[in-house]
Each structure stands twice: as structure tokens, then as C-alpha cells.
Amino acid sequence: ASYKRIAAVDDKVKAFITLDEENARSYAKQLDEALVGKVEKGLLYGLPIGIKDNIVTKGLKTTCASKILGDFEPVHDATVMGKIRSSEAIMIGKLNMDEFAMGSSTENSGFFQTRNPWNLDHVPGGSSGGSAASVAAGEVLFSLGSDTGGSVRQPASYCGVVGLKPTYGRVSRFGLVAFASSLDQIGPITRSVEDNAYLMQVIAGYDKMDSTSANVDVPDYLSSLTGDVQGLRIAVPKEYLAEGVNEDVRNKVLDALKVLEGLGATWEEVSLPHSKYAVATYYLLSSSEASANLARFDGVRYGVRSDNDKNLIEMYKESRSQGFGNEVKRRIMLGTFALSSGYYDAYYKKAQQVRTLIKKDFDEVLEKFDVIVGPTAPTTAFKIGEKTKDPLTMYANDILTIPVNLAGVPAISIPCGLSNGLPVGLQIIGKHFDESTVYRVAHAFE
Ligand code: GLN
């Protein structure tokens, strides 16, 4: 059914880079045959899942939507892929994204543009645009994305589906191609909050292969789906409803707060005063980390190599010049500049200090409240091409998701209505390692 649906709609949506039909069918057959006399099925038994193309899959092309990795076949699986396999879900294929997860619209894919299934003239969001669009278009039941500054939540919001960025350290990053290692997290994208909790149950947990993985018990997420929000204390940051947030979006969020009030929760306006520095801080830190992480793509160890064999340096230069797209080059230059001696204190060090202040803002609010609620993005999905000329306008779009990554806390985006026929996303932010409360609040809407 999944491949049939893909055949019917993916020439319009263009969510998939690679399909793995033969292996998927043979695994499905294997599961069917093993069913006879089988007592316990895997938690995701037989369910079709799509994977963002920056999560490595053994023997199956993993491109990060970059020409430099156009023919790269990993020799091992990411930790999450092993977990998916043990859950008996069926991997359908690899999903389009902004190149190396840098972007908010999937317009930076090195291959092609994914479109928003709600309106094909609009972007699906990014960088996990393929992951969100494939679920919204009914091509797969769920998918995995990655979220460094909003890349699971923002596309989920734009495509009217559910996307969770787990607490930093909750899900193993082993086998996730690194963009900004101190911010990256893999997250589930699904149609419902319940499905999301199922997928999260499978992928969460400590992994000794990831040095930043947290050795913290994983609770039973499904048991938190009670719908009970009686007595829950909600903080609403005034910065999240301020100017720049579209009026329709603001009203949908206020409507959602009314629903929660009706169920016995209370809310109060608070302030996250350092949020205004989040975009600048994030783009300095993430580009710095990216410039170091992407040094490994040199035409020797992975992927595509230029045939310029004049000398080693020329070969590096040409492989990288031809292999990387413009946005990736921009980030590498920004990061290299910010890390260079003489500028380090003024940029990178300063940004680290501001990051601490942003995290403190969240810690203080979450000491008094159970969750923080606001919109996921300031607007609904914008038109393809609308923001490509000005990178700063594109960056500003992440203003409501980025602070969450800098603070390391978990957050979900769930649909909360339509504006001009396009979905609006509600963001629910929780305490460190408290995905359960985030799910409980989100589930109250189902
Ligand atoms: N849009 C942000 C960026 O371009 C976030 C990307 C992400 O979360 N991977 O960096």
C-alpha cells in the first residue's frame, strides 16, 4: 500500500530520494512467514517507515541530499536503524532534506524540491521536509527526521503532522551525519501523538556508541497518554506571541490554550528575555560546529572525488567546490571565520556565554511551570522561492524553535488548525527528559 501510494503521489510531492522496495518486500515477507506461531510481535510490527537521508543505512545510499555524498553507501547502520529493525517496522526508503540539514524549506536539497502536500506551491518546511511531507501525503505511516534548530518541528508544523525533538541525549546520534553535534537530535514524525509515542518508545535510550547519550531510564510513553491535564501549569512566553508572529497563528495558539483551560489547566504569561539573541547565537555555534564536522568530506574518505589529480590540495578544493551547495559553503565560511584566532573570543566564546543565558531562562521558567506553550513557527508554510534570495529572512523563521535546541529541552509540534488552508503548529516545550508530560499535554487534543 505504501509503495502504491508513493507511485501515485510522489512525482508531485517528491519526498523520497531513494526507495528500498526489494528489501522492504522481502523483510515484510519474512515477517509474515515468522508470524505463524509467533507469540510476541515487535512494537511497530509491519508498519511502513521513512528515514531522513542523513541517518546512515547499511548498504543503502545515504546522501544528506548532497552531491558530495551522491553515491555513498554506508558500511554500518545508525543505532536507531537497529532499533527500528528490532521493532519490526519496515523501512520504505530515504527522504529528501536540505543539504546536510541546513535550511528551513528543503530548497537547499542538492537534488530536487519537496513540495507541501497541502499546497504544492508551498514549501514543506525543512530541513526534514521529505520526512514531514511523506507522512502528510500518506506515503508512510511515520518517519524519522533530525532537529538541530527546528528541523523536525517546523516541517511537522507546515505539513500538519506531529513532530518531536527529544531532550538532547535521549536518542542516540550514532550514525546521524553530524551537522552541529551539540544540538542535533533525531526525532519522530507521525500523524498522531499516539503514533509518535510508539515510535519514540522504540528509538529512545542510552547508547554507549554515542558519548553524549544520556544514561537515563526511558519511561513508558504510552502510559502518559491519559488526556488528563487537570492542574497543569502552562507558561506562555510573551516573546512567542509578539510582533512578527502572524495574527492567525497567534489566534490559533490562543484557541488551543482555551481548550487546555477548559480541561483544567492554567496559563500565565512569562518572559524568556534572551530569546531575542537565539538566532544569532545559533547560527554562530551551529556554523562553527558544521565547519569542523564537514571537514571530513574531502573527496578521499567518502563520496564524490574530483578527477583533478594535479595535487592533493587542488583535489580537495575541487571536490568540495563541486560537491557542496551554496548554503553549505556559506555555513562553512561563517563557521571557519568565527573559529579563527583573533575572532574566537568575540564570536564563538560570546555565543557560548549567551547560550548559557538562554538555557537559564528556560530552567527558571520550567522550575515554576510544567510546560511552555507557543507557536512552532511565526507563519504557515511560505511559497517556494519566497525566501531564497535573503538568507537572513530564512534564518529568522527559526526564531521559535532554535531556543529549545540551545537549551537542550524536549518539544513537540502538533497541528492546531488551519490558516488559509495551511496547517498551523502548536509547540509544547517540556523539562529535560520529561517527554512524558509533553506527550500528555499534546494528547489532550486527540
Ligand atoms: N533551519 C535551521 C538551519 O538551517 C535548522 C536546521 C535543523 O534543525 N537541522 O540551520
Side-chain angles (χ1 to χ4, degrees), residues 8 12-13 15 51 156 177-178 187 218 230 232-233 241-242 263 276 309 312 331 379 382 410 420:
K12 292 191 207 78
V13 177
I51 303 293
V177 178
V218 178
Q230 186 71 40
L232 189 99
R233 292 156 309 166
L241 295 176
L263 295 169
K276 57 175 179 289
D309 54 7
L312 189 63
R331 307 273 180 120
T379 64
F382 45 90
N420 293 324

Side-chain angles (χ1 to χ4, degrees), residues 22-44:
E22 215 175 292
N23 284 326
R25 283 184 185 278
S26 97
Y27 186 48
K29 196 155 171 258
Q30 225 176 296
L31 288 177
D32 273 346
E33 283 162 4
L35 188 60
V36 190
K38 188 170 170 182
V39 195
E40 238 176 88
K41 291 183 196 164
L43 195 62
L44 307 179

Side-chain angles (χ1 to χ4, degrees), residues 385-440:
E386 198 181 311
K387 292 186 200 274
T388 37
K389 273 174 224 83
D390 179 10
L392 283 181
T393 331
M394 189 73 94
Y395 296 172
N397 191 257
D398 302 331
I399 188 155
L400 305 175
T401 46
I402 276 174
V404 171
N405 299 75
L406 291 169
V409 291
I412 202 168
S413 178
I414 61 169
C416 70
L418 295 176
S419 164
N420 293 324
L422 288 167
V424 177
L426 181 75
Q427 184 170 211
I428 303 161
I429 305 165
K431 300 178 208 237
H432 280 103
F433 297 103
D434 191 15
E435 286 84 3
S436 295
T437 304
V438 170
Y439 277 136
R440 182 153 63 88

Side-chain angles (χ1 to χ4, degrees), residues 98-115:
D98 286 298
E99 185 177 2
F100 286 104
M102 296 172 187
S104 310
S105 62
T106 318
E107 288 165 300
N108 297 334
S109 166
F111 305 137
F112 49 81
Q113 172 72 54
T114 298
R115 291 170 182 273

Side-chain angles (χ1 to χ4, degrees), residues 44 47-50 131-138 140-145 152 155-157 159-164 187-201 203 412-415 439 442 446:
L44 307 179
L47 300 174
I49 185 167
S131 302
S134 62
V135 173
V140 283
L141 191 64
F142 34 41
S143 65
L144 288 183
V152 162
S157 160
C159 290
V161 293
V162 177
L164 176 85
I189 299 182
T190 55
R191 285 237 168 167
S192 71
V193 174
E194 190 182 1
D195 286 357
N196 209 277
Y198 268 95
L199 183 49
M200 183 62 184
Q201 200 75 55
I203 62 169
I412 202 168
S413 178
I414 61 169
Y439 277 136
E446 286 189 349

Side-chain angles (χ1 to χ4, degrees), residues 52 101-104 126-127 146-151 179 282-283 331 398:
K52 187 175 180 178
M102 296 172 187
S104 310
S127 63
S146 68
D147 192 313
T148 305
S151 281
F179 161 15
Y282 167 86
Y283 277 95
R331 307 273 180 120
D398 302 331

